[in-house]
Amino acid sequence: MFACYPLRDGRIVGAWNGTTDTISLWSSDYVTRANIYSDIAVLSNPRGIAQRSNGNILIAEATNNYIIEIDVSGNYIATLGGAILNNPTSIFVMP
């Protein structure tokens, strides 16, 4: 796991980097894991994770220079970035 972030509901979201570039959601006791997002077209080097006030998850994607937004079920919402970002490795959301 490259990065992890505690969600407000107690679950933990993690970014896996390497042979499987995946965003996973863990139960608060680390017993149950579900891979919720994996799209190699945009997610090849996930780094930082944060949660927006609306509950959606933001992922800093270093290789493709994106910030990817998904919901907690893993549904793609939006991508920001490209030429305006340069190797983002972390993300912070202001309340």
Side-chain angles (χ1 to χ4, degrees):
M1 185 180 313
F2 195 88
C4 64
Y5 187 85
L7 300 180
R8 289 187 295 276
D9 65 5
R11 295 179 296 172
I12 298 129
V13 65
W16 297 86
N17 186 334
T19 57
T20 304
D21 300 311
T22 305
I23 303 304
S24 299
L25 191 61
W26 290 83
S27 59
S28 60
D29 58 4
Y30 283 106
V31 172
T32 306
R33 173 184 169 194
N35 292 334
I36 61 169
Y37 184 77
S38 181
D39 181 351
I40 59 171
V42 293
L43 187 69
S44 67
N45 193 3
R47 297 297 173 165
I49 301 172
Q51 187 175 30
R52 294 187 61 190
S53 61
N54 67 2
N56 288 347
I57 299 165
L58 299 173
I59 304 119
E61 208 306 301
T63 298
N64 295 316
N65 300 314
Y66 294 138
I67 301 297
I68 302 164
E69 181 176 1
I70 62 173
D71 65 18
V72 293
S73 297
N75 297 305
Y76 171 85
I77 304 297
T79 300
L80 167 71
I84 63 171
L85 297 175
N86 185 13
N87 193 31
T89 57
S90 61
I91 189 164
F92 179 77
V93 174
M94 297 291 287

